Every structure is written in structure tokens, then in C-alpha cells.
Amino acid sequence: MLRGRESLIRLVGKRRRFLPHRQAFLSAPFQSSLNFRGDGDGEVGNNGKMESLEGGGGEHEGEEDSVEVSCPVCGNKVSGNNTAINSHIDVCLLRGTKRKLTQRTLLEMKFSQKSKVQIHTPVLEPLGNSLFDNIVQDSIHRLSDCGASVEVNGSNLCGSVLNSKSVTETDIDGRSKNTVNSDRTDINVDAPSLLLKNEVPECDFAMSMDDISGTILETFIVGRRFSNEKELNPGENIILVRDPHNAKDPNAIEVISSDTGYSKVLGFLPRELARYLSPLIDKCCLRFEGQVTSVPECSFDIVPIQVSCRKIVLNGNKENNSINFFRYLWNNALQVIESAKKSSTSTTKYQQNFCVFVQEVLRNNSHLFADDEKDFMESFNSLSDDSQRLFIRLYTRKGPWFRMSSISYPEILDPQKAVEELSEKGYTCSFEVKTKPHDDDLSRIVNLLTVAELREIMCTLKKNCSFGTRKQDLIASLLSIYKDGFCSRLPGMILDKTCGCISISSKAEALFWRAERLFFLNGEQDLSAFLLVDLGIVKYPTYNCIITEQIFLGCDDLLAYEEAIEVAQMIDESLDENNNELVLRCIKIAQSHISSTPMKITESSISKSVVSFHFSFSASWVYSKVILLGISFFERERRYNDAIYLLKQLLECFTCNGRRGYWMLRLSVDLEHIGCHDESLSVAENGLLDPWVRAGSRMALQRRVLRLGKPPRRWKIPDFAKSVKRKINEVHVLGRPLNSETGTKSRFYGEDGEQCGVEELALQYYAGEGGGWKGVHTESGIWLTIFGLLMWDVMFCDVPNVFRTRFQTAPLDLETDSFYLVRKDQIESHLKKIHDGMAEEILITSWQSHQGTACRGVNWDRVTLSDLRAAVGCIGGPCLALFCRHLAQDYRSWSSGMPDLLLWRFHDEYRAEAKLVEVKGPRDRLSEQQRAWLLLLMDCGFNTEVCKVSPEPTP
């Protein structure tokens, strides 16, 4: 795989768009200084400058470019060059960004940028023993002292996602922003908001404490697959018992059969209800008893039950504060039950999640949608249940076209009626014979047919029915016949076979794809994240989303970002299809955008913590990914001049970027390839002066300087020469090889006669004659796990703007310099505890508190707590503190390349030691990143060495 393609695939994401701007990108002219031809490199001098051979310059070209004119569509100033004007207007018209210059628009432009205070208040989950603490009141008092009008939302958007908190955005003048219409159907089971003032909230709840006793609550049992009793009887007596140690939900409440001596767990209460009843059981000692009202046919379906409260004890505390919180929790529990009654019979879980997702996006990103776009997305709630479910089903399928005959889901009662409603509202479109279908659409629709149907159509057309046996051969034959004009009735024949075809409309596809991007902020997650949480497969950490700044300041920024992702998707697809012409086109598009955008980032702007990670959501950042992939493409094709030109442009435009080290290294290497040794040396020397060149890239440049800088080019020996040439201890191990083919991973026979890799063979050596070491082979895995567990509280502490979704496994700034700078005091305080010997205690606490929770770098299954405790205890506090500091300061540069083996051994009760070993096979050598790690670990005081495995000499 080309270098840079893997990260570009992650950026594009699993869900591929049907690109609305593809034709515009392929046909619209644009300005580019490159001359990428499929058969040559162009004219390039030794300095890497490339002559432009496109759109030759005229005598008056400079005068025309110097004149700026106003775009009649968006009003922005653009260059007077005809090509620039046409390209700009094409893009504007394609975006639909024509502005209505009304009084309202002008007012919004001038006065809508008010300063905002966005406050997060934790909801009562997990409430635990802090239910009646005054933390919430104290925080509100502090905010009130600042003179801010505060609205705090304690509700969770979806009962299935309880691991994070919600944020409400409020202007200084007190007007709360709410983009969701009040008349929308309340589909999701949302807990009510907790409105706090300077005092404890007064609940509008007339029922007294004594009246609560005996109140019957109608709910149901869920999680039957996790129960130990599969048989149920109507009328069976039950009780509710807290399960505070549940790994999936600390508020879990078990439903236990009281007819069998309280030994049979029938299931659990719904998560939404348990959220409010669990603190009542813990703090107020409420006892709930009841019975099963009916038994479903399927043993895993929800089971209706009735429970009632039998005992209320407030630990003798009858203060108004405790009573009000008690009433608040009880009132919310009743509202959850009522909401469940209304929605459980008419909505499905994925339907609830989708509505939550749409509402959340509209609430937090309303400024990124035009009025008609917001109306379109909000109209989703006005659709019937069948239409909503069918649209979600189709949206999450691969598509884009679907046969009506294959649309059948048990929860959708009338698919045909649902299709008609979706088509009427503009959510789907049908395949029409009366209008000539687009070639791409026709090819995708033909692909829906089976081989038998394709052969039948071929026979009907009186073509050779034995033509090909592969489906793609039959499709190609049919399409060629249609394109040649010999079969105009082909679309009608396809329509007869499929009973009609539908697809998601381009408008719906584009808007909901945008909503997904805004909700998850990456291309790797999609709506299946809700399902993984609902099923208990993934549990996300608990953190506060404190949002004070938007990532996308305006719609133009978002649209430019979307277009850049389209280009990234196009180059990825063209590489799969070996379409080099389209690859070059995408590279030129990316290069033209970067060269025409004044987006140099200075170190002063990078020092602002809120800016550093925002840049990864810009169009320029995406285009830099495309260009990096283009550089790899050119290097593979040995077109080093083109690669050099792009590398120089990246280095010129992105002055503060963590990839500068790799760019400078490749530039130096490519310059050497074309014989420019002096310039290659100068690039390497300048790279060592760049503060953004770090870790393995810095090590590689240092070694290049030493190799290229020999007399007579350079006479002075660099200061770093001794450091780079330091000797790393080596040990040699012999083994019986199983294979010795070049290009394959080396395999050996272990000491027990079984086949193993070089790492397993090294572990056997160290456990035996190597000195009785115990250890694990995890490369970077165990180290990132140790870092994640030791620094858990630091990673998920309250920092504004770094947590924006409910599905994050790390703060957004983890891989930036701002991670350490923003949390410097807290990190140093934490590292002091690790240095002083509290690492094992912190490790155990994190493991027990968060086991199973998804966190960047933490692998719960690969290592055990006992191994981690042994490793941490043997390494020692000082070394661990230095290691954690390096990762905290530059996680991106140092999160890979760590030694293969972590070994430890105990000498007695008070003495232990650890060793880090990089294992190399017969044909392997240390990478620059691995060498940098080993030297760094040596500086930190670690015992390190390289184990070289060689085959035994044959007699």
C-alpha cells in the first residue's frame, strides 16, 4: 500500500459518498502550476522548481490577474482572470450558495456573533454516593458570580448512550438556542432537563413522600440474554436489586425472582429508568417488589412487569435539599415510564437513535445548514413510522439502488406506501424509464439483476445466450449494446425484472452524510456506534463536553472540507481502478487549492490550544493528505521531480505540522535520487533546525547528514554524531529456521519443537538461558495501555472543546502539542505521584474503575492486570514518569516503534528489574523510529538491548 493511503482511507471513512461534485471536478478548469503528464516528468531544474506548461501566459496576463471583481453569486472578490472567474462561479453555483441580501441576513452578519457561555453540568449518572453533594450547586454559584445567564441541560440524548454529558448553548442575554421545532414528535426516550438555580431545584411534584409508597410502576425487563433464568411464568413475584459493579452500567438494576429464593436473575430494568431509580435505592433505601404481568413468545423479548415501592427511608435526613432531590428523581422516573409507554409500541431502537442523531446535529450545528436544509431534515420526524424505518434501513445499506422486490422488513408494515411517502417528500427517487437514465445509474441498476435474469434478457434480445458465464461479462455486454443504440428498451426490461428500483435522493444522501460527519467528527464511525453501545459491546468513557467554540465557523468552511473529502475519495477509488489519469487530476486539484489558499500557520497561532487540532478539520489539511499520497505515487513511478515539487510546496505552505519531518526526509532522499547531493544534504541540515522534526524522522535526518556530510562536502563533525552512533547492546540467538525465503516473515522451531516467530523464540531464550525473565510480546500495545491507565484522569479531565461527541475514546488534542500545554500543571502533578512510587496504585484503580471501557491505546484483552502490575513494579517510578511525559508531550511522534518485548524478573521481595528488547530476524534491521526509541529509553534509564535471531549454521 502506498505511504499515506491508509490514513486517507480512514479520513474518507467506511461509508462512501456518491459524489455530487465529481463531474464538476473532472470538467471545470482550475489553475495549477503543475504539468503532470502520464508519460513524463516535465521540465524541472535542480532546485525542484517546475515550469508550468498549462494555459500559457499572454502579454497582458499579469494585468488581468491583478484586477479583482465581485462574484455575482457569493459576493466574494476573485481574480479577474477568465479561468479563475469561470471556475469560481461553477463551484458557487454547484454549492447553491447564492445569498439573499435581505435585512435579516445583514442583521445576522453584523450582530449574531455574540459571546456565549456554554456550561456543562453532569447529569445524575453515575450518581452513586454523591447524590446529595453540593457540587452542582457550587458550580452554579460560581457561574452566577460571573454574571452569566445559565441554562443547564441534564438530560441525555439517548438512553443507550449514558457515558457522557450534554451541553446547552446559551447566549449572554439569556436566550437559549433551540433549533428543533416544538411540535416535533418526541420519539426518543429522553430524561427531562434539570434546571438549577442558586438554590436546590424545586420540583413541580405534588405527591408527598408517604403517598409514593405503594405506587405501581409499569415497566419491563430487558437484557434477557444476560439472565441465568430463561423460563418465566405469568404472575411470578419479583424484586429489584442494585448491581453497582456492573461493567456496562454502574446504575444497573437486576430483576430477581423472589419465588426461587432470590437466586434467579430474570434480566434488568431499562437503562433509562435505572438511571433514576438506582440512586433512590442506594440513598433512600427504597424497596421495589412486583410481578410479571405477561410472558412473550420469544424468550429474549422484553417482559412487561409491575413493581411498587414498599419502603422509604431517607437516613433520617428530612432537609428540604434531600426531599427536593428525591422528588426530582421520582418525577423523572415517572416521566421515563410514560415516555416508554408512548414510544415502545410505535418506534424501534434504531429509529430512536436516528432521530436523536438528527436532533443533536441540528441543535449544535444549525449555523451550518441553510433554512431549506434544516426544514428538510426536521421534516423527517413528520414522516410515518414505516417511512422513517425504511429510509434508515436504506441509508445504512450499501446501495445506491435497491430492488423493490427485495425490500421487506418485519417492522415495516407497508413498504410500498412508505416508498411513496419518501418519494413525495424528496427522500428517495425512483428509476424512471421515460427519462433517459444516466450511464452510471444504469450500470448500478443492471448490477442488481441476477445472472439468470441477465441471461434471460440476453436471450430476449436474441443475442448469444452462452456469451460469458461471469456476471460482469454479461453486464458489460448489455451496457455496450445499450450505448451503441441497439436496445433502447433495455431500461424497461430491467424495470420489469426488478419490479421497480429506488435510491436515496442526492439531497438526502448529502445532508445526512454531512450530519454524520458533524456528529462523529471522523470517517471511521457511523450510526452502528449506537448499536454497539445498545448491545453493550462498546462502552465509552465518561467525560464532560464543554463547547465554547465551533469547529466549522461557517457553511463555506464546511463545504470546502466536504469537497476536499470528495477529492480524497476520488483518488482512493482511482488507485483501486488503476486510473492514473484520474489520480493525476486529483493531485492537481489538491495542489491548486493549497497553492491558492493563504493558509500558512505560524508558531504563534499554534501555541493557542484551541487552534492546533481544529486544523485537522480544514480543507487544506485534507488536501495535504491527497498530496502526500500523490508524492508516494510519484515515487513509486520514479517520477522524483514531481515528488520534489510537491514536497517543497507542502513544506512552504505548512510551516507548523507534525508531518514536516517525514516530508523533509523524503525530499532529501528524492533529491539524492536525481543526483542533487549537495541540496539533499542542505535539506537534511535545515530539517534538524526545524522544531517540528521529531522522533524517527529526526534520527533519519541526522544519519543522512553524517553519511552525506563527509569531506569535502563538510569538514566539521556535527555535535550529535556521538549520540547517534551510540552502541546499543546486542544479544544473538540461534534457531532452527522453518523458512528462509526473502519477503516472508521468518519462522523457527521453538525449544518445544513447535513453530514460532522470532519474538516467541526470543521469549523462550530469555526465560531459559537468558536469565529467567518473564515477559510479553506486544510491541507498542502494552506501553500505550500502561500510559492510558496511568494517565486516565488526565486524558478525560475537563478541558473545553476537546470532547464534542458521545463516542470519543480520547480528547481531540491528544496527538497535538496542546495536550501537554493545556494540562501542564495537572500532568506534572500526576507524574510526580508516578515518580514517587504510586504508579501501581493508580494502575489498579484505573483498571478496576474502567475495565472494558474503550480508550485510545488501551487493550484490555491482550494483557492481564497481574502482568501490568509486575511490569510497572519492575520498571520503577522514575522511568515510568519520564516515559509518560514523552508520550504526553508528543503522542503522535512516539506512539509507535516501541521495543517488541517487555521483560521483568524479581530477585527477592525488594529487588526487581525490567528489560526492553527489540527482536530482529535474519533479514531485518532497526528502523529509524525504533532506533530513536531505544536511544530515548536508554536516556530515561531503561535497560534496553537488541536481540538478533539467526539460523543455526548447517553442517
Side-chain angles (χ1 to χ4, degrees), residues 568-583:
Q569 181 176 328
M570 284 171 54
I571 192 173
D572 181 51
E573 293 174 353
S574 59
L575 285 170
D576 285 335
E577 300 166 0
N578 293 321
N579 188 345
N580 290 351
E581 182 179 352
L582 185 54
V583 170

Side-chain angles (χ1 to χ4, degrees), residues 462-495:
K462 297 182 180 180
K463 299 296 178 182
N464 185 3
C465 298
S466 62
F467 180 80
T469 57
R470 295 174 63 249
K471 183 176 181 179
Q472 295 305 318
D473 293 337
L474 294 171
I475 291 174
S477 179
L478 276 177
L479 291 177
S480 64
I481 294 172
Y482 177 74
K483 290 178 181 178
D484 293 339
F486 296 116
C487 183
S488 59
R489 57 195 180 99
L490 178 61
M493 300 174 70
I494 296 173
L495 198 60

Side-chain angles (χ1 to χ4, degrees), residues 155 186-195 202-206 215-220 272-277 280 327-344:
S155 65
D186 185 13
I187 291 181
N188 54 307
V189 185
D190 279 356
S193 297
L194 171 60
L195 301 178
E202 295 289 344
C203 298
D204 184 15
F205 187 59
T215 300
I216 296 178
L217 306 179
E218 294 184 0
T219 182
F220 43 85
E272 300 89 344
L273 182 59
R275 177 185 172 202
Y276 294 105
L277 289 188
L280 291 175
R327 290 176 176 173
Y328 161 76
L329 294 170
W330 183 260
N331 188 33
N332 282 351
L334 294 181
Q335 292 191 30
V336 169
I337 291 173
E338 290 301 318
S339 298
K341 288 180 182 179
K342 297 176 183 178
S343 61
S344 60

Side-chain angles (χ1 to χ4, degrees), residues 933-954:
W933 253 118
L934 290 171
L935 295 179
L936 173 65
L937 292 170
M938 291 169 59
D939 293 337
C940 292
F942 285 87
N943 180 10
T944 62
E945 66 184 24
V946 176
C947 176
K948 293 188 175 181
V949 179
S950 305
E952 294 177 347
T954 55

Side-chain angles (χ1 to χ4, degrees), residues 14-226:
K14 295 180 290 185
R15 180 177 181 82
R16 298 304 178 94
R17 295 188 66 194
F18 299 101
L19 309 176
H21 301 118
R22 185 187 188 101
Q23 293 303 320
F25 285 142
L26 297 180
S27 60
F30 58 88
Q31 292 180 319
S32 174
S33 56
L34 296 178
N35 179 42
F36 295 149
R37 300 176 185 238
D39 56 353
D41 288 344
E43 296 295 331
V44 184
N46 288 342
N47 57 1
K49 292 183 179 180
M50 181 171 289
E51 300 293 336
S52 173
L53 300 181
E54 274 195 25
E59 189 177 274
H60 303 287
E61 185 177 354
E63 297 177 9
E64 187 181 17
D65 289 343
S66 63
V67 178
E68 289 190 346
V69 296
S70 297
C71 172
V73 180
C74 67
N76 292 334
K77 295 289 186 181
V78 296
S79 172
N81 179 272
N82 290 333
T83 302
I85 293 175
N86 292 335
S87 178
H88 180 84
I89 293 180
D90 285 341
V91 174
C92 284
L93 291 175
L94 199 59
R95 290 179 179 173
T97 56
K98 186 171 182 178
R99 299 171 63 183
K100 300 177 182 178
L101 297 179
T102 61
Q103 183 179 7
R104 175 187 173 189
T105 307
L106 294 174
L107 287 173
E108 287 178 351
M109 289 172 58
K110 287 182 174 296
F111 306 112
S112 62
Q113 302 296 326
K114 294 186 178 181
S115 58
K116 298 175 182 178
V117 178
Q118 298 183 359
I119 301 104
H120 166 271
T121 296
V123 292
L124 300 176
E125 186 263 340
L127 292 163
N129 296 326
S130 60
L131 174 63
F132 300 107
D133 294 345
N134 293 322
I135 298 175
V136 175
Q137 288 80 0
D138 292 341
S139 63
I140 298 301
H141 282 308
R142 290 194 297 271
L143 290 168
S144 299
D145 293 339
C146 297
S149 176
V150 181
E151 178 181 345
V152 184
N153 187 358
S155 65
N156 213 357
L157 277 174
C158 181
S160 65
V161 187
L162 292 174
N163 296 315
S164 60
K165 316 302 189 290
S166 56
V167 177
T168 295
E169 189 174 285
T170 307
D171 290 344
I172 289 295
D173 58 6
R175 293 193 300 271
S176 178
K177 300 174 75 171
N178 183 12
T179 62
V180 182
N181 293 340
S182 59
D183 58 348
R184 298 172 72 178
T185 305
D186 185 13
I187 291 181
N188 54 307
V189 185
D190 279 356
S193 297
L194 171 60
L195 301 178
L196 296 179
K197 302 177 182 178
N198 290 338
E199 302 297 333
V200 178
E202 295 289 344
C203 298
D204 184 15
F205 187 59
M207 183 179 293
S208 66
M209 302 274 294
D210 296 332
D211 294 334
I212 291 176
S213 181
T215 300
I216 296 178
L217 306 179
E218 294 184 0
T219 182
F220 43 85
I221 304 175
V222 297
R224 292 278 292 135
R225 69 186 63 197
F226 304 110

Side-chain angles (χ1 to χ4, degrees), residues 14-18 392-402 409 444 447-448 502-504 509:
K14 295 180 290 185
R15 180 177 181 82
R16 298 304 178 94
R17 295 188 66 194
F18 299 101
I392 299 169
R393 285 284 195 176
L394 297 181
Y395 179 77
T396 52
R397 285 175 60 178
K398 185 175 180 180
W401 288 95
F402 308 93
Y409 301 101
R444 294 189 183 109
N447 202 48
L448 296 177
I502 64 170
S503 71
I504 301 293
E509 171 76 20

Side-chain angles (χ1 to χ4, degrees), residues 279-451:
L280 291 175
I281 295 175
D282 291 341
K283 302 297 293 187
C284 303
C285 301
L286 264 64
R287 176 183 174 85
F288 290 92
E289 300 175 352
Q291 60 182 4
V292 176
T293 56
S294 63
V295 178
E297 294 182 1
C298 178
S299 60
F300 289 149
D301 285 348
I302 62 173
V303 180
I305 59 173
Q306 289 183 344
V307 295
S308 58
C309 177
R310 297 301 183 192
K311 184 180 180 182
I312 301 176
V313 178
L314 280 178
N315 296 330
N317 186 359
K318 295 293 183 179
E319 294 180 3
N320 184 61
N321 188 30
S322 300
I323 293 174
N324 280 338
F325 266 106
F326 173 87
R327 290 176 176 173
Y328 161 76
L329 294 170
W330 183 260
N331 188 33
N332 282 351
L334 294 181
Q335 292 191 30
V336 169
I337 291 173
E338 290 301 318
S339 298
K341 288 180 182 179
K342 297 176 183 178
S343 61
S344 60
T345 58
S346 61
T347 61
T348 57
K349 193 63 177 177
Y350 69 82
Q351 186 181 356
Q352 295 176 25
N353 292 338
F354 193 85
C355 292
V356 166
F357 147 72
V358 173
Q359 292 176 13
E360 171 80 348
V361 170
L362 288 175
R363 178 164 50 244
N364 294 337
N365 302 279
S366 61
H367 65 293
L368 300 177
F369 294 90
D371 291 340
D372 62 323
E373 294 173 339
K374 286 187 284 189
D375 293 340
F376 181 82
M377 296 183 68
E378 288 174 354
S379 67
F380 183 81
N381 277 345
S382 64
L383 298 174
S384 63
D385 286 335
D386 277 356
S387 296
Q388 288 185 1
R389 294 167 187 164
L390 179 59
F391 177 81
I392 299 169
R393 285 284 195 176
L394 297 181
Y395 179 77
T396 52
R397 285 175 60 178
K398 185 175 180 180
W401 288 95
F402 308 93
R403 300 175 60 143
M404 285 296 299
S405 57
S406 66
I407 297 177
S408 177
Y409 301 101
E411 72 274 16
I412 300 175
L413 303 179
D414 191 345
Q416 184 63 44
K417 187 176 179 181
V419 168
E420 294 174 359
E421 183 180 5
L422 289 172
S423 179
E424 180 184 353
K425 298 291 186 180
Y427 284 88
T428 61
C429 56
S430 302
F431 179 64
E432 300 288 346
V433 178
K434 57 185 179 181
T435 58
K436 184 178 180 180
H438 194 276
D439 291 345
D440 291 340
D441 289 335
L442 185 62
S443 63
R444 294 189 183 109
I445 292 172
V446 172
N447 202 48
L448 296 177
L449 300 176
T450 64
V451 173

Side-chain angles (χ1 to χ4, degrees), residues 518-539:
L518 292 173
F519 189 84
F520 293 106
L521 292 176
N522 61 67
E524 300 179 87
Q525 291 177 302
D526 54 24
L527 294 173
S528 62
F530 283 99
L531 178 63
L532 295 176
V533 173
D534 291 340
L535 297 178
I537 298 175
V538 177
K539 178 183 177 183

